[in-house]
DNA sequence: GACCGTTATGGTAGCGCTAACATTTGGCGC
DNA sequence: GCGCCAAATGTTAGCGCTACCATAACGGTC
């Protein structure tokens, strides 16, 4: 048998071969101790485990991936980490994945759809065992890459934070439309009659538009007059929160100028609601006395000790964990069918409406 | 020449061999087109590029890593993504890395130091070309792994958001001590004399403790009496922001009970300041009229349209980009020495102090 | 003790790529 | 045209691991 690897140069990682030599077994047995311990006799296993510990051996995942044809890597592509919209989902996804021996490869597009293809190529180069997508839109080139990965090859894809009518593969999220409806109906039930909507309704924000559509529908159903919508065309609902706060303040100003009789505002996101509340305070408008404000997302600062914002809570972390579960199930060969999981949402009434 | 790879099964990725066959060159030439295009004659290069495009070839990074012994992966281990403390740093790091053809592998410990070793093992298994660490503390086992990776092997490490006296390798951040001093001195200059501190001073929060130390020192220097510190022992300064807000509210209540004459509060983080301001509002205490409040971090909601919080701004994204630069420089063989980069901070005066 | 069916272990080959060297090609001076 | 040097391309040999199959060891049966 060879010497087990890179002796001498001192700067290399310990290899499985070296562990094998030390334990007096073949590399194959070391591999089995790592992956199927039950198939190795306890005495042998202990010897190998001791060698692993003594040498500080850490298996090379790239080599393992090459040989086994599975990377144990799941790539998540989100528009941004800022604003903590996806942060809990990513955290849940990562934790659940790690428990199952997989790793999370994170890519953020930061709204540059030009770089989306580059990101996707880079990520596909790692041959991920699964793909998690938050964006709805893709460039044609990116779309083609995705197609190839999903159809021709067997890379499972999960779209999150929405329930597309025609999912690429699987989806975990909630109905933004239903959530928009629910909050609007809730405000109406509370007796508010002149409900405005402030949101970001730019071309990228598929989700925000769905929420707005829900708002519009309830207004029509309940005869609450035409929509009073202020929508900027900026970045998606997950835009840098700072920008959203500005928009909320500016949005409320615009709304009050155009419809001074408003008694409630439904904001497309919590940061927007925060900006609106700040602007209201600046103008001496009492919330909820003169004006009710509702948000969307139940972000970190919305709680009772802070804003006390009435909002819609999204089970962000559960979306992450469920996504991981789906991916793992699919990989294990169970769950051959595409699935769409609706995790719902929750109305949280606090003090602003 | 062989057939170039996995013909027939239809479910595999295109390999370099297949591209080579299509372009009528050897695999090596394809490899060169990808990595050193200048060393390939333009005519040949174009042929290869066309073949790549037609086949939708995406190189297998794991195989490349194995052969070249560089993974082009940088692992970042942060305590959490929540609260958006590190979000901008991670975003900047990821963007800068991607521009240089590297990828970001993200690991969050979520405060479970028990799982820290597992995380580190998983991450080291990918043979990262660099390691970015946000935490100060490590378990003994994790520390040993780190040692081995850093010393024996040549994995560069960058510690961020602080300037350790004895860095493991490199560091990019700012002096939390100096920042604590600066804000306290700033409040003193403004005429506040009875300045309290609310923060999380648990065992993990090295950074928060440094800020507090700066506060204490300025108080002593300027004869402002003994520190009026309320410190909970909870999670680190980057804990879930929701929890921090609660702490800020509870903290202010505790401070006012013990030292009713306070005229200013320096909060160890912006979420804490937010909670404190909310609590002040609840009690009818005018900010900054009756009580000045300062935060730390300049988080997304601190701006003028929102809280208008006086705070300390940390160049989060620049920390990320600078970290990437250091890692890449080191990898390129330049920059053989350990470096500590102080990116400083900035006092932002808004309306709460 | 020869037989068998397990169960435990080892040998061989190769995953897709690239470093290092070998070879070919092309351009140019004389 | 020949020789020569550089540039362009090809060949060989693994990187560290795991799938697959072969062999060896074991424990019981008659």
């Amino acid at each position: 048998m060879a010497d087990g690897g890179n002796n001498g140069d001192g700067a290399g990682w310990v290899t499985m071969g070296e562990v094998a030599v030390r334990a007096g077994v073949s590399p194959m047995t070391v591999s089995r101790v790592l992956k199927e311990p039950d198939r190795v006799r306890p005495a042998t296993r202990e010897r190998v485990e001791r060698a692993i510990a003594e040498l500080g051996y850490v298996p090379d995942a790239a080599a393992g991936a090459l040989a086994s044809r599975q990377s144990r890597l799941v790539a998540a592509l989100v528009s941004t980490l800022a604003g903590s919209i996806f942060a809990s989902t990513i955290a849940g996804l990562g934790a659940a994945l790690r428990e199952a021996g997989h790793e999370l490869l994170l890519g953020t597009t930061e709204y540059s759809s030009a770089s989306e293809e580059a990101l996707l190529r880079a990520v596909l180069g790692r041959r991920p065992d699964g793909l998690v997508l938050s964006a709805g839109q893709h460039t044609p080139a990116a779309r083609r890459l995705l197609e190839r990965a999903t159809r021709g090859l067997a890379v499972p894809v999960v779209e999150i934070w929405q329930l597309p009518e025609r999912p690429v593969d699987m989806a975990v999220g909630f109905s933004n439309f239903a959530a928009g409806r629910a909050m609007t109906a809730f405000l109406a039930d509370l007796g508010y009659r002149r409900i405005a909507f402030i949101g970001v309704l730019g071309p990228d924000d598929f989700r925000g538009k769905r929420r707005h559509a829900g708002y519009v529908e309830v207004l029509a159903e309940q005869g609450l007059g035409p929509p009073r919508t202020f929508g900027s065309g900026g970045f998606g609902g997950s835009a840098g929160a700072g920008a959203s706060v500005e928009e909320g303040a500016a949005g409320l100003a615009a709304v009050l100028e155009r419809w001074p009789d408003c008694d409630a505002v439904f904001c497309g996101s919590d940061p927007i609601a925060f900006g609106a509340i700040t602007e209201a305070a600046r103008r001496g408008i009492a919330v909820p006395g003169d004006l009710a404000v509702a948000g969307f997302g139940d972000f970190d600062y919305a709680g009772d000790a802070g804003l006390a914002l009435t909002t819609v809570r999204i089970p962000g972390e559960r979306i992450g964990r469920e996504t991981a579960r789906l991916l793992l199930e699919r990989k294990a060969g169970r769950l051959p069918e595409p699935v769409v999981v609706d995790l719902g949402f929750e109305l949280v009434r606090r003090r602003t409406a």
Side-chain angles (χ1 to χ4, degrees), chain A:
Chain A
M1 174 175 285
D3 70 21
N6 52 7
N7 284 356
D9 71 351
W13 296 81
V14 175
T15 70
M16 188 176 274
E18 297 174 70
V19 174
V21 170
R22 175 132 191 165
V25 298
S26 78
M28 204 50 237
T29 299
V30 178
S31 175
R32 272 191 281 254
V33 168
L34 260 16
K35 316 205 61 182
E36 319 168 279
D38 295 340
R39 304 184 73 76
V40 179
R41 208 195 321 169
T44 313
R45 193 194 317 159
E46 274 166 38
R47 231 168 345 121
V48 172
E49 278 164 351
R50 198 172 327 121
I52 288 175
E54 286 166 357
L55 295 173
Y57 171 63
V58 179
D60 184 322
L66 190 58
S68 70
R69 296 159 154 289
Q70 27 170 335
S71 63
R72 301 191 148 254
L73 227 36
V74 168
L77 304 184
V78 303
S79 46
T80 187
L81 244 29
S84 61
I85 306 280
F86 295 122
S88 64
T89 298
I90 295 297
L93 178 63
L97 248 20
R98 190 153 320 110
E99 284 161 19
H102 290 238
E103 232 46 48
L104 214 215
L105 192 63
L106 184 70
T108 60
T109 57
E110 305 298 338
Y111 308 117
S112 156
S113 79
S115 74
E116 194 192 6
E117 192 201 340
L119 214 206
L120 193 53
R121 291 187 79 82
V123 141
L124 288 178
R126 304 284 167 182
R127 303 292 187 263
D129 289 347
L131 226 40
V132 177
L133 263 25
S134 85
Q137 309 285 31
H138 307 289
T139 61
R143 187 163 276 292
R144 224 172 307 126
L145 273 174
L146 254 184
E147 280 293 314
R148 217 185 295 247
T150 326
R151 308 254 179 274
L153 318 167
V155 184
V157 174
V158 179
E159 291 167 282
I160 58 171
W161 276 70
Q162 57 187 321
L163 303 173
E165 315 93 66
R166 209 180 56 68
V168 173
D169 183 7
M170 300 183 281
V172 179
F174 60 93
S175 165
N176 283 275
F177 179 75
R181 276 193 58 99
M183 179 53 90
T184 310
F186 179 70
L187 291 172
D189 283 354
L190 253 25
Y192 299 106
R193 284 289 160 270
R194 296 173 302 280
I195 306 169
F197 184 98
I198 301 177
V200 177
L201 301 172
D204 315 334
D205 196 357
F206 177 77
R207 285 180 282 262
K209 274 187 284 208
R210 297 299 296 151
R211 302 201 272 268
H212 180 250
Y215 155 81
V216 169
E217 193 177 83
V218 169
L219 248 46
E221 280 177 14
Q222 307 211 4
L224 296 177
R228 298 148 186 250
T229 302
F230 175 84
S232 72
F235 291 128
S238 45
S244 294
V245 175
E246 311 276 347
E247 301 217 355
L252 184 65
V255 160
L256 290 179
E257 184 176 342
R258 180 137 177 227
W259 300 287
D261 64 337
C262 275
D263 57 6
V265 207
F266 175 19
C267 298
S269 77
D270 281 354
I272 292 175
F274 183 39
I277 287 172
T278 307
E279 181 65 20
R282 194 169 295 140
R283 291 165 174 248
I285 297 171
V287 173
D290 302 329
L291 183 75
V293 177
F296 192 96
D298 194 32
F299 75 159
D300 282 333
Y301 309 97
D304 282 298
L307 269 181
L309 183 66
T310 292
T311 189
V312 180
R313 170 145 56 217
I314 307 305
E317 209 207 329
R318 276 183 58 217
I319 292 179
R321 299 198 87 97
E322 180 67 11
T323 298
R325 197 183 66 76
L326 253 41
L327 250 17
L328 264 10
E329 287 283 300
R330 166 68 67 81
K331 193 182 155 190
R334 299 183 289 275
L335 196 73
E337 296 302 315
V339 197
V340 173
V341 178
D342 185 347
L343 254 24
F345 52 84
E346 188 186 342
L347 255 36
V348 183
R349 184 177 191 188
R350 283 190 281 241
R351 296 200 298 275
T352 61

